[in-house]
C-alpha cells in the first residue's frame, strides 16, 4: 500500500501481508449495532477496570471500515497506544457504493447516519470502559464531512474530531452545537476531489473549515508553523540513465524512506474555550489520499489533542 488515486484501493490494501496481519488483528472483533453491525476492536491488553479512549473511524465514499483500518494503520497503532476502535460502515447508494449522509439538514426518509453513529457510541460505552472525555471521530473524505456533522449534532459527546480530506458545510447556521470541540483538519494541497480551496458553494475550504471552528470555540491566538510535520510518505521516481545521457523512467513510482522530510505546515488556533484547540495540517503536495504509511498519523493527531487539554 503505497500510492492511491481514489478510494477504490481494497485490492492494494488487502495484499498478502495485510491478509496475514488481519487474521490476528481482527480475530477478537466484537460487532454492535443490531440490524446494522459495526466492528469494535479492543486493545489486546484490555482491562475492564481501566477506561480507554474511543476512536470512531469513518470511511470515505465507496470505501469501507476495513480499508480505513488499514489505510490509517489503526490496528498497528492500537498496539502502541491503547484505545478502542469503532469502525462502522455507511449505507449503499443506488450504485452499490457506501456513503455517509453527512449533509444537513436531515431530509425526510433519508438514512440518519448521525443518529446511527451516536447510538453506536452509546452502545460501546454501555458494553466497554470508555473514557467519555476522550471520544474522537476520525473521518476520511465523505467521513470527514460526517465528522463535522457529528460535532454539530452533539453536545459534549466528542473531545475532538479529525477531518482528513473532508470539509465543513458552508451553511454554518445548520450547526446546532453550542459546545466547544477540538478540531483537526488534515488536507493535501493537491487534492483534486475535495480541493483545499473549495470550488463548491455548499462546502468550505480546508482553511475556512478550521477557521469556522476557531470562531465557534472562541479561540484567541493563531500561529502558523511552516514545514512542522512529517505526515506523508513521499514518492520518488528514480530515473535510469543510459549511455550517451539518455534517460529512461521506471514503470511506476518507487517509494523510499523519505528520512523524516517535513512537508506539512501546521496552523494552530489556541487559547480557545474549555481548553480546546483547532488545527489545520496543510500537506503540501498531498493528493486526496496521500500515503501516510509508517507516519503514525493517529498518534500524531492524538498528541495534538492531548496538548489541547481535551
Amino acid at each position: 500500500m503505497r500510492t492511491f488515486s481514489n478510494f477504490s484501493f481494497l485490492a492494494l490494501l488487502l495484499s498478502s501481508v495485510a491478509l496475514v496481519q488481519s487474521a490476528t488483528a481482527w480475530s477478537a472483533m466484537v460487532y454492535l449495532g443490531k440490524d446494522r453491525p459495526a466492528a469494535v476492536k479492543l486493545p489486546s491488553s484490555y482491562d475492564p477496570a481501566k477506561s480507554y479512549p474511543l476512536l470512531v473511524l469513518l470511511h470515505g465514499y465507496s470505501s469501507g471500515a476495513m480499508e480505513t483500518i488499514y489505510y490509517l494503520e489503526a490496528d498497528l497503532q492500537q498496539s502502541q497506544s491503547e484505545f478502542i476502535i469503532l469502525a462502522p460502515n455507511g449505507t449503499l447508494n443506488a450504485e452499490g457504493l457506501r456513503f455517509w449522509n453527512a449533509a444537513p439538514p436531515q431530509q425526510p426518509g433519508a438514512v440518519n447516519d448521525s443518529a446511527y453513529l451516536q447510538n453506536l457510541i452509546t452502545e460501546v460505552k454501555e458494553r466497554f470502559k470508555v473514557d467519555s472525555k476522550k471520544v474522537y471521530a476520525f473521518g476520511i473524505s465523505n467521513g470527514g464531512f460526517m465528522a463535522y456533522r457529528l460535532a454539530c449534532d452533539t453536545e459534549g459527546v466528542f473531545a475532538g474530531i479529525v477531518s482528513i480530506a473532508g470539509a465543513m458545510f458552508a451553511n454554518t447556521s445548520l450547526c446546532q452545537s453550542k459546545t466547544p470541540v477540538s478540531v483537526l483538519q488534515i488536507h493535501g494541497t493537491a487534492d483534486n476531489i475535495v480541493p483545499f480551496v473549495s470550488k463548491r458553494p455548499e462546502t468550505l475550504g480546508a482553511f475556512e473549515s478550521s477557521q469556522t471552528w476557531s470562531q465557534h470555540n472562541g479561540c484567541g491566538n493563531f500561529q502558523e508553523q511552516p514545514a512542522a510535520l512529517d505526515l506523508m510518505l513521499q514518492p520518488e521516481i528514480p530515473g535510469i540513465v543510459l549511455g550517451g545521457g539518455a534517460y529512461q523512467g521506471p514503470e511506476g513510482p518507487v517509494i523510499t524512506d523519505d528520512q523524516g522530510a517535513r512537508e506539512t505546515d501546521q496552523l494552530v488556533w489556541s487559547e480557545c474555550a474549555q481548553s480546546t484547540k483547532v488545527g489545520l495540517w496543510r500537506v503540501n503536495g498531498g493528493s486526496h489520499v496521500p500515503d501516510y504509511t509508517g507516519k503514525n498519523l493517529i498518534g500524531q493527531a492524538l498528541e495534538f489533542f492531548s496538548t489541547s487539554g481535551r
Side-chain angles (χ1 to χ4, degrees):
M1 54 171 289
R2 291 307 186 202
T3 304
F4 311 107
S5 58
N6 54 49
F7 281 101
S8 298
F9 51 79
L10 178 58
L12 289 173
L13 290 169
L14 297 183
S15 62
S16 59
V17 174
L19 285 170
V20 171
Q21 291 175 337
S22 66
T24 301
W26 293 98
S27 60
M29 278 195 301
V30 176
Y31 286 88
L32 305 178
K34 300 175 184 177
D35 60 333
R36 193 175 162 190
V40 177
K41 184 173 183 293
L42 304 177
S44 59
S45 58
Y46 178 76
D47 180 352
K50 294 174 55 179
S51 295
Y52 296 85
L54 173 63
L55 272 57
V56 184
L57 304 186
L58 303 171
H59 63 74
Y61 177 74
S62 82
S63 185
M66 188 165 291
E67 295 98 313
T68 304
I69 293 294
Y70 292 134
Y71 179 58
L72 295 179
E73 298 184 308
D75 54 333
L76 300 177
Q77 293 174 49
Q78 187 188 46
S79 65
Q80 302 170 25
S81 301
E82 293 185 330
F83 49 77
I84 298 172
I85 296 172
L86 171 61
N89 278 309
T91 51
L92 298 175
N93 63 11
E95 291 75 37
L97 302 175
R98 292 195 181 277
F99 75 101
W100 300 107
N101 181 18
Q106 181 68 46
Q107 299 299 320
V111 176
N112 191 334
D113 281 320
S114 180
Y116 164 67
L117 292 167
Q118 292 177 57
N119 288 337
L120 276 179
I121 292 169
T122 298
E123 191 172 353
V124 174
K125 288 179 176 179
E126 290 172 349
R127 289 281 302 275
F128 306 107
K129 290 297 293 293
V130 173
D131 185 340
S132 61
K133 296 182 179 180
K134 294 182 178 180
V135 177
Y136 305 101
F138 281 68
I140 301 173
S141 191
N142 176 220
F145 285 84
M146 192 68 230
Y148 277 119
R149 174 74 185 271
L150 286 170
C152 283
D153 287 356
T154 58
E155 298 289 352
V157 174
F158 295 95
I161 66 162
V162 180
S163 171
I164 304 169
M168 175 72 178
F169 43 88
N171 188 353
T172 56
S173 67
L174 297 174
C175 187
Q176 300 299 310
S177 175
K178 305 300 181 184
T179 307
V181 179
S182 289
V183 170
L184 177 58
Q185 176 76 30
I186 305 174
H187 216 119
T189 59
D191 190 331
N192 62 357
I193 296 177
V194 182
F196 188 89
V197 178
S198 178
K199 298 180 180 179
R200 301 173 61 184
E202 64 270 26
T203 63
L204 301 176
F207 180 84
E208 291 75 17
S209 295
S210 306
Q211 188 177 51
T212 293
W213 278 90
S214 74
Q215 295 166 353
H216 179 274
N217 293 352
C219 303
N221 184 54
F222 171 74
Q223 289 185 323
E224 183 171 349
Q225 302 168 309
L229 300 165
D230 173 25
L231 299 185
M232 181 174 61
L233 188 62
Q234 302 179 61
E236 293 184 0
I237 308 179
I240 301 172
V241 178
L242 306 176
Y247 174 89
Q248 176 181 321
E251 293 182 357
V254 176
I255 303 296
T256 62
D257 186 353
D258 57 15
Q259 301 297 322
R262 297 182 177 183
E263 79 295 309
T264 298
D265 304 329
Q266 179 172 241
L267 288 69
V268 180
W269 290 262
S270 58
E271 298 178 5
C272 313
Q274 297 184 22
S275 300
T276 56
K277 185 166 67 172
V278 176
L280 169 59
W281 290 354
R282 185 171 55 207
V283 187
N284 292 302
S287 65
H288 188 58
V289 192
D291 189 345
Y292 297 123
T293 302
K295 300 301 183 180
N296 190 24
L297 187 69
I298 288 178
Q300 292 198 62
L302 291 176
E303 175 65 22
F304 175 85
F305 287 136
S306 71
T307 59
S308 72
R310 296 298 298 272

